[in-house]
Amino acid sequence: MKRAEIIAVGSELLLGQIVNTNAQFIAKQLSTIGISHHFQTVVGDNSLRLRNTLEVASSRCDLIILTGGLGPTKDDLTKEVVAEFLGKSLIMHQKSLDSIEAYFKRVNREMTENNKKQALVIEDSIVFENHNGMAPGMCVSYNDKQFILLPGPPKEMIPMFEQLVLPYLLSGSDQTTIVSKELKFFGIGESILETKVLDLLENQSNPTIAPLASEGEVMLRLTASAKDKEEANQLIHETEMKINERVGQYIYSTNGDNLFTVLVKLLNEKNMTIAAAESLTGGLFSKRITDIPGVSSIFKGSIVCYQNEIKANILGVSNELLDTKGAVSFECAKALAENVQKLCNSSIGVSFTGEAGPEASEQVPVGKVFIGIKIGEQEAIVKELQLSGTREQIRLSSVKHATNLLVKLLKECQDL
Amino acid sequence: MKRAEIIAVGSELLLGQIVNTNAQFIAKQLSTIGISHHFQTVVGDNSLRLRNTLEVASSRCDLIILTGGLGPTKDDLTKEVVAEFLGKSLIMHQKSLDSIEAYFKRVNREMTENNKKQALVIEDSIVFENHNGMAPGMCVSYNDKQFILLPGPPKEMIPMFEQLVLPYLLSGSDQTTIVSKELKFFGIGESILETKVLDLLENQSNPTIAPLASEGEVMLRLTASAKDKEEANQLIHETEMKINERVGQYIYSTNGDNLFTVLVKLLNEKNMTIAAAESLTGGLFSKRITDIPGVSSIFKGSIVCYQNEIKANILGVSNELLDTKGAVSFECAKALAENVQKLCNSSIGVSFTGEAGPEASEQVPVGKVFIGIKIGEQEAIVKELQLSGTREQIRLSSVKHATNLLVKLLKECQDL
């Protein structure tokens, strides 16, 4: 059983300029494949202190993963210190040098001499090519200990870890194929989901199942290792079917898409357009939809009707309705959805009205939300919610509930 | 000169369930007061490994700051391990026990026996009261080494650090007063700002000056220590004046307010209302304004006019203008600002049109943005920008440029 230590090298971490997200990423990945790790260390760009850190780490662990310090400047000294610590030399890796030279040619910039340093690797190491930057990663073994050196920028380190380091760690060579799949859930809490699949979680080995929660959603990440892609896919398929039987109704995506991307794709498929009337959400639904490039084919626009005057004058909600039922009401949500559909000439109108807090208004408790949905010629639907959390959480949850409901309705209506 | 090490205790960090933001926070604070630190370590809830970490840390540092592991459960063992390591006992801290008992009384819950454990402190230590939770922090000295133990939840640790630990570290006792002030800048890059105040940065001692960049803005945090608040304020005032002379025109806030809060307060002061027409920003301006509670007095609403059809049919931009000048044009931004002001019956109309990317459209390069502003009866102003970065950065930068411009215009026009 391997014991790992993660070492991040970089004075910017000691100054608090950046947070060590690399350690969190690698920690999660290691736990996914069953490698336990007991320590994480951060050390500055200083050769004496890095050497001290290597001594401490190799006294208590077998697998030492270092991030950072592989760049071209004098401050970057991870390779140099590890090589010296192990009594090994640095040698030029021709393939990496070629790709660095090609990079400079491509961006039409002159390659300075110090960039060659990035193509140096520790002798006898296995080299991980960098497809998103210049400095390659590497693994060198010594006295039953393994040292893995990875670049610091997350956009280089993460794909290198997923595509090259994970297969290497799982197989001891790079002959194993790793496949992972993300099952994304909405409408079920993390603890209930865990309870429903507890036996699978407890007996997992291949694929491993890692639950992750963020932004009011839960995800299960299945990761299988096998000799080829087909076998790995088959292993994942079997576990996915078991999960599907129990909690399949809460899964909205299995290909990495988020809730908003799923909705946008469905609307594109069905050649439908959408427009929104946003009161408490204040533009958040529109913002999340337009985070996705190229949505102008399906998203017409929206009316952020924060004041009742806008609900009345632009969206045609009658003052009588606003006076008798109030802006936060079933009737107002219905009228807003119907009227924004008509006003924007869209296939779908969706509306949001409610109380996001932090202070409750006279008649409405914090978290009371009505979502209106009008699709084509169908009768408008209104969903009433009682949400909890901060203002930010209530607004985000409203937007996600509506998006999830739209996805369900569009999937159900095959004839749309 | 003290050398510090930060140790975070918690298995949830090793599993990657949370990221170690405590280390970043403490790192920044230490650099602000000139204490250098060379190592950060993360260790799980395991007494043997925590002891190993203490041995390593005390062999290379004088000030050891631990976060986490002060809670009521069996897993929480930081105090116990540190006490054993130093050959000291744990004793009951009556004041902390009283406040824990008072807490349970207040929330009307029965206090279980294990909660008493949270009031235990290491003998001979200085106790830091916890005003946001139950477990107190403490500092114990031993053989010229100091061990500071702090709770893990950031909402308890951060105020305890700012209010009690910083003064303690600066004075060796708790008699010093610390005052900090944040000068927030917009429209000036971090490197130019640093160049302009380089001599101040290099010769800083009291107050210290820490530059921080995030979300396309820069902030300078001044922190002064003195025997009382008045003296600390005076020290800050002197440095602030020097900074003001050089780059004062870029400062938009000195009291912690963000750009949007500054705009909302100005509008409230002047009894003015605002409405927006958002094309490329897709609702982001409205979302950021309505992040702030209680804005319904100044924010009427907005029209997210993502498709040209909405610009024409709802906002009354002529099809001729859209055909000849295009949606991303000076003329369209002007018309949108004028028309949304009229449509929403607001004192101010602001508009956003541009190309957020990632793909350029036929005639418009990515990052080209026009912002329109119409205030009262004044002639509309249009500002053309060429922004760079990702889609997300271009959208956020557009919204911030407009907000900054609005703040400047509202401050200049005393008669509004």
Side-chain angles (χ1 to χ4, degrees), chain A residues 272-298:
Chain A
M272 292 175 86
T273 57
I274 192 166
E278 302 199 50
S279 182
L280 89 150
T281 51
L284 180 57
F285 177 79
S286 310
K287 189 265 174 193
R288 292 303 288 257
I289 292 288
T290 58
D291 280 343
I292 305 164
V295 292
S296 55
S297 53
I298 61 98

Side-chain angles (χ1 to χ4, degrees), chain A residues 287, chain B residues 186 214-217 259-260 280-281 284-285 288 352 356 387 390-403:
Chain A
K287 189 265 174 193
Chain B
F186 188 82
S214 77
E215 272 206 335
E217 292 183 22
L259 209 40
F260 303 99
L280 89 150
T281 50
L284 180 58
F285 176 79
R288 292 301 288 258
F352 301 85
L387 303 170
T390 62
R391 180 178 176 85
E392 198 184 335
Q393 287 164 341
I394 288 169
R395 279 154 48 101
L396 182 59
S397 183
S398 303
V399 162
K400 288 198 168 178
H401 266 99
T403 307

Side-chain angles (χ1 to χ4, degrees), chain A residues 367-384:
Chain A
K368 170 71 74 193
V369 174
F370 291 90
I371 289 164
I373 293 180
K374 169 91 171 116
I375 303 184
E377 301 296 315
Q378 298 177 16
E379 177 75 9
I381 292 164
V382 175
K383 180 149 184 169
E384 181 178 349

Side-chain angles (χ1 to χ4, degrees), chain A residues 1-4 34-38 62-63 144 146 168-169 172:
Chain A
M1 181 74 173
K2 273 194 190 117
R3 290 162 309 163
I35 293 182
S36 64
H37 91 285
H38 297 151
D62 325 296
L63 170 65
D144 292 335
Q146 283 178 305
Y168 174 78
L169 286 174

Side-chain angles (χ1 to χ4, degrees), chain B residues 46-56 81 84-85:
Chain B
N46 174 292
S47 55
L48 264 179
R49 290 193 278 269
L50 176 52
R51 198 188 159 99
N52 169 284
T53 304
L54 290 171
E55 280 162 11
V56 169
V81 174
E84 202 199 312
F85 179 68

